[in-house]
Amino acid sequence: MGYSRFYLVLLLSICVGNSLASPIEDQERDRITQLPGQPKNVGFAQYSGYVTVNEESGRSLFYWLTEAPVSRGPESRPLVLWLNGGPGCSSIAYGASEEMGPFHIRPDGKSLYLNPYAWNNLANILFLESPAGVGFSYSNKTTELYTFGDKRTAEDAYTFLVNWFERFPQYKHREFYIAGESYAGHYVPQLAQIVYRKNKGIENPVINFKGVMVGNAVTDDYHDYVGTFEYWWTHGLVSDSTYRMLRIACDFGSSQHPSVQCMQALKVAVVEQGNIDPYSIYTQPCKSTASLRRGLRGRYPWKSRAYDPCTERYSDLYFNRPEVQKALHANVTGISYPWKTCSDIVGNYWTDSPLSMLPIYRELINASLQIWLYSGDTDAVVPVTATRYSIDALKLPTIINWYPWYDNGKVGGWSQVYKGLTFVTVRGAGHEVPLHRPRQAFILFRSFLENKSMPSTS
C-alpha cells in the first residue's frame, strides 16, 4: 500500500510537472531567434507560430508577439492584440510591417530596419492574422475560406486568445487591450463583446480585459455612407451634382448591397476623383496603383482592399522568402498559395456583416470599458466625418469639448472626450495613422494606455 501511494504521488508529480513544462516548451518552439535581415541586438523577445482554433477542420491562426524591450520591463507592460481589417487583410503585412511594428522592410524586400516609434516600446504587441485564409493562417478544409464572416471570425479570435494564454501563462491576468483599424472596426468591438460576456460572472477571469482602440473604423453603414460622401464633397473630390446623386441613389445602409443607381453614381465619383490615393488624399500614390483600386464586394463599393503604399510590395517580397517563413515558424503545412497581404477569396466571399456596431459600443460603454476611436483626417475611405456621425448617434454627454492637442508645440490633431468614449483625430494622417504620422500615433497610443486625455498645451 505504501508503494501504491508512492507511485501515485510520483505519477501525479510527473503529470503536474508536464502540465507546467508544456507551455514553456511550446513557447520555446515559437521563439524567434533571428529574422533574416534583422538588425542585431534588438533587446526584446519575439515569438510566432500557430494556435489551433478548430481541431475538426484544422483551422489554425498565425500570430507574432513582439514583447517590450527588456530594458523597459516587459513583465510589467500590458498586452495589446492588434487586428487589421479588409476583411481579408494581414496584420503582419500592415500593422507589424509598415505601421507600429518594431521592424519595417527595406525596398529590397530582404532587410529590416528598426522603427523608432514602435508600439512595443510601450506594451507587448500581439499581431494576429485573422480569419483563417488570411496571410499564414489556414484551414485544412479549404471550402471554409469561402464562408467566413464576422461571427465566426470573432469566435475564432476568442478561441485563439484562450488557447494562446494557455501557451503563455505569464500573460494571464495581465492588463489586456484590443486594437485595430479599418474593417477591424467590426472585429474589435465584436471580439470585445465576447470577451466581456465570457468574463461576466467569473471572479478572476483569465483575460483581464480593459478596453479597445480603433482607427478609421468601419462602424455604422448609414453614417459611413453619409460621412464619406460628405467628406468627398467638402474636400473637393466630387462635383455638386455627383454629391447630390450619391445622396439620392445610395440608401445609406438600409441593405447589404447598394442599388444599381448607387453603383453608377459611385463610378462617376471615382472618375471625378482621378488618380489619387483615396487612403491618403494629399500624398503621391505608388505607381501602378490603378490595378489595385478594386471595389470591395458588398456594401462598401468605394473601398479597395487595403492601403497601397509601395511598402505593401516589400511585404510581398519578404514574407514569401522560404528562410523568412522558416524563422517565423510559418507555412508549416505548405499551403498551396503564396502569402499575400490580402486574401481575395476571404474578402470577396465574406458572408455576414451587421449594419452597425453602435449597439455593441453601447454595451461596452455601459460596462465601463475604456473606448478610444481615432481618425487620420486625410483618409477618404473611412473618413473622420463618418466616425463623427457615428459617435454623435450614441448621444453621449461631453466631458471635454473639442480641443487641439499638441506635439512639440505643433497641433497634432483634435480631440473630444465623451462620457465613456474618447475621440482623437491625427492631423495629416491617412487611413493607416502610424504609417503616415508615426510619432503622433505613438503619443496617441501612450495616452490611450495611460487613459489620459491628449496633451492640450503647446
Side-chain angles (χ1 to χ4, degrees), residues 122-140:
L122 300 172
N124 303 288
I125 310 295
L126 178 60
F127 298 97
L128 178 65
E129 292 194 304
S130 171
V134 174
F136 292 121
S137 296
Y138 68 91
S139 171
N140 290 335

Side-chain angles (χ1 to χ4, degrees), residues 270-415:
V270 169
V271 172
E272 289 182 351
Q273 288 174 22
N275 185 28
I276 64 167
D277 183 348
Y279 292 88
S280 177
I281 63 174
Y282 299 125
T283 56
Q284 280 292 108
C286 190
K287 289 181 180 177
S288 68
T289 55
S291 62
L292 294 170
R293 283 181 62 113
R294 300 162 295 181
L296 174 59
R297 289 186 186 181
R299 60 187 191 278
Y300 312 116
W302 62 86
K303 296 173 186 172
S304 45
R305 184 70 65 244
Y307 181 69
D308 179 44
C310 295
T311 47
E312 185 182 59
R313 298 178 184 176
Y314 314 153
S315 292
D316 262 325
L317 290 170
Y318 188 77
F319 291 110
N320 276 301
R321 294 173 60 201
E323 61 270 35
V324 171
Q325 295 181 4
K326 183 178 180 181
L328 284 168
H329 322 114
N331 197 14
V332 291
T333 59
I335 50 181
S336 59
Y337 47 86
W339 180 92
K340 292 177 69 176
T341 55
C342 296
S343 166
D344 289 325
I345 292 173
V346 171
N348 289 338
Y349 291 91
W350 202 251
T351 56
D352 62 287
S353 179
L355 294 172
S356 179
M357 293 294 104
L358 296 182
I360 298 179
Y361 276 116
R362 291 188 183 99
E363 181 178 347
L364 299 179
I365 289 168
N366 289 335
S368 299
L369 291 164
Q370 185 179 324
I371 300 170
W372 282 43
L373 299 179
Y374 67 91
S375 284
D377 63 12
T378 69
D379 176 24
V381 177
V382 191
V384 60
T385 41
T387 302
R388 292 182 78 175
Y389 275 124
S390 291
I391 293 172
D392 186 60
L394 291 170
K395 302 191 183 306
L396 302 171
T398 295
I399 305 299
I400 304 175
N401 204 15
W402 193 260
Y403 68 94
W405 64 270
Y406 287 88
D407 170 31
N408 274 347
K410 296 180 180 178
V411 174
W414 291 265
S415 182

Side-chain angles (χ1 to χ4, degrees), residues 187-201:
Y187 297 163
V188 171
Q190 288 170 333
L191 176 56
Q193 183 184 52
I194 294 178
V195 174
Y196 165 66
R197 289 181 173 181
K198 294 281 189 182
N199 278 353
K200 281 172 75 172

Side-chain angles (χ1 to χ4, degrees), residues 57 139-147 336-337 345:
S57 64
S139 171
N140 290 335
K141 198 185 263 187
T142 53
T143 53
E144 283 191 339
L145 307 189
Y146 295 84
T147 60
S336 59
Y337 47 86
I345 292 173

Side-chain angles (χ1 to χ4, degrees), residues 237-238 242 264-275 293:
L237 304 182
V238 297
T242 298
Q264 288 173 342
L266 286 165
K267 286 178 182 177
V268 173
V270 169
V271 172
E272 289 182 351
Q273 288 174 22
N275 185 28
R293 283 181 62 113

